[in-house]
Amino acid sequence: MFKALLIEKDDSGQRVSLSELDESQLPDGDVTVRVACSTLNYKDALAITGKGPVVRRFPMVPGIDFAGVVEHSDNAAFRAGDKVVLNGWGVGEVHWGGLAELARVKAEWLIPLEPALTPAQAMSIGTAGYTAMLCVMALERHGVTPDSGEVLVTGAAGGVGSVAVAVLAKLGYHVVAVTGRPEEADYLTGLGAKRILPRSDFSEPGKPLGREQWAGAVDVAGGRVLANVCASMKYRGVVAACGLAGGMDFPATVAPFILRGVTLTGIDSVMCPPAERREAWRRLGQDLDPSVLDAMTNRIALEDVIDVSERLIAGAVRGRVIVPLSDL
């Protein structure tokens, strides 16, 4: 038997409970992992609260990522005792996820845990931090360097934003952080942000083209925020878009793209090819100062996940939320 958060749905609606499950109930897969640590991401909170159509198969164990130790493997790529990490691949949406003491998944979804990281540190980074690194790699790939100019990070006090600020600052970029929580200014400057801007500067309808300001940007908001960010990019600036916290719409014009050569690059962490995700995790082990993880990480018990999900959706949680599940 093992503990798991379980989401069920029937004609009366959705229910979420902390349950005791039998190992025989685990879904198909060729690797069984004893989960050392999982996380609570924005997508998990949407699934748990039912405020977003994340879960596509019931019953479902949420949790889009986890780190742990292989207990049993029918695939030659892994053997018992291997430390592994999983991010995405529909886990927590169509396949049981990491908010449980055990998980059974496909071997091709796993990658080895970076030797420089503990399972708890890997989950302090989690899908949010891994996504942030994919954004940084995209800016680099499109030629944005520390000498190019200021780089903007929206939703900077959240999970993706916190890691993006910390990594970019360590790499020498001049980071400008956008947040709707002015009380987090000290936290963000501690991560390396040089300036803090209020979200209200970006949330109202703007001009098709604004003053050229940013060489690069990492956007987690979407919606009007993303439109205004694009409108104020420097010539040939690059925006890495990875979220929709501010909405799925994009009320913009083509002006930034055809008059300033702005690049808008989409970042998908769920189905990202294995080679690129391995590189992202290698870079995280190298380019993220482990000392900043404690400041951006909240630890909660599995039984507290449901309550904290509501606070996360309300934007009342700073940084990352991890859920330790064993002492591995």
Side-chain angles (χ1 to χ4, degrees):
M1 302 295 290
F2 65 98
K3 291 181 180 178
L5 205 66
L6 191 68
I7 304 175
E8 300 174 281
K9 188 175 184 179
D10 56 27
D11 291 341
S12 63
Q14 177 174 303
R15 301 179 305 281
V16 188
S17 62
L18 182 59
S19 303
E20 287 275 350
L21 303 177
D22 189 270
E23 188 171 344
S24 63
Q25 295 175 263
L26 286 168
D28 292 339
D30 50 7
V31 181
T32 302
V33 178
R34 174 67 57 177
V35 178
C37 194
S38 187
T39 61
L40 180 64
N41 294 281
Y42 188 79
K43 183 181 283 187
D44 299 319
L46 287 173
I48 291 164
T49 60
K51 294 180 179 177
V54 172
V55 178
R56 287 172 277 168
R57 185 177 300 164
F58 295 92
M60 178 58 58
V61 173
I64 64 173
D65 52 16
F66 63 78
V69 177
V70 173
E71 282 208 341
H72 177 81
S73 176
D74 293 319
N75 189 296
F78 295 97
R79 60 184 180 181
D82 286 348
K83 295 180 179 180
V84 294
V85 172
L86 184 145
N87 305 105
W89 297 116
V91 168
E93 302 174 64
V94 296
H95 189 96
W96 284 16
L99 287 168
E101 293 174 329
L102 281 179
R104 183 173 292 143
V105 297
K106 294 181 179 180
E108 56 262 38
W109 298 346
L110 297 168
I111 63 171
L113 176 68
E114 280 295 308
L117 301 171
T118 66
Q121 287 175 327
M123 288 298 97
S124 292
I125 298 167
T127 286
Y130 148 68
T131 302
M133 181 54 79
L134 291 176
C135 291
V136 173
M137 289 164 58
L139 296 183
E140 293 174 337
R141 191 164 56 247
H142 286 89
V144 180
T145 69
D147 293 332
S148 300
E150 292 183 319
V151 175
L152 191 75
V153 178
T154 68
V160 175
S162 292
V163 177
V165 170
V167 170
L168 286 165
K170 187 172 186 291
L171 291 172
Y173 289 86
H174 192 289
V175 183
V176 179
V178 178
T179 182
R181 292 179 267 170
E183 68 274 12
E184 301 292 6
D186 289 345
Y187 164 71
L188 291 169
T189 54
L191 293 179
K194 299 296 186 184
R195 286 200 291 145
I196 315 295
L197 296 178
R199 184 174 58 206
S200 57
D201 284 1
F202 299 85
S203 56
E204 297 300 321
K207 297 178 180 178
L209 281 177
R211 180 169 61 90
E212 294 186 43
Q213 297 184 74
W214 324 115
V218 174
D219 178 66
V220 306
R224 196 169 299 284
V225 171
L226 177 57
N228 286 325
V229 169
C230 290
S232 57
M233 297 303 295
K234 295 174 70 174
Y235 183 71
R236 290 202 168 181
V238 181
V239 183
C242 64
L244 46 74
M248 288 188 65
D249 60 329
F250 185 42
T253 74
V254 298
F257 311 109
I258 63 174
L259 297 179
R260 289 185 182 161
V262 170
T263 296
L264 176 59
T265 179
I267 305 298
D268 168 55
S269 63
V270 177
M271 305 303 289
C272 180
E276 190 171 345
R277 64 176 67 220
R278 283 174 182 255
E279 175 61 10
W281 277 101
R282 186 194 69 79
R283 290 285 304 276
L284 285 161
Q286 169 186 296
D287 296 331
L288 178 63
D289 185 350
S291 67
V292 308
L293 292 175
D294 285 343
M296 69 171 68
T297 302
N298 304 281
R299 293 171 176 256
I300 65 171
L302 187 59
E303 53 265 32
D304 296 326
V305 167
I306 298 172
D307 289 339
V308 178
S309 294
E310 293 284 354
R311 293 177 50 224
L312 184 57
I313 291 294
V317 176
R318 169 210 283 177
R320 301 282 298 131
V321 180
I322 68 171
V323 186
L325 288 151
S326 74
D327 296 326
L328 298 172

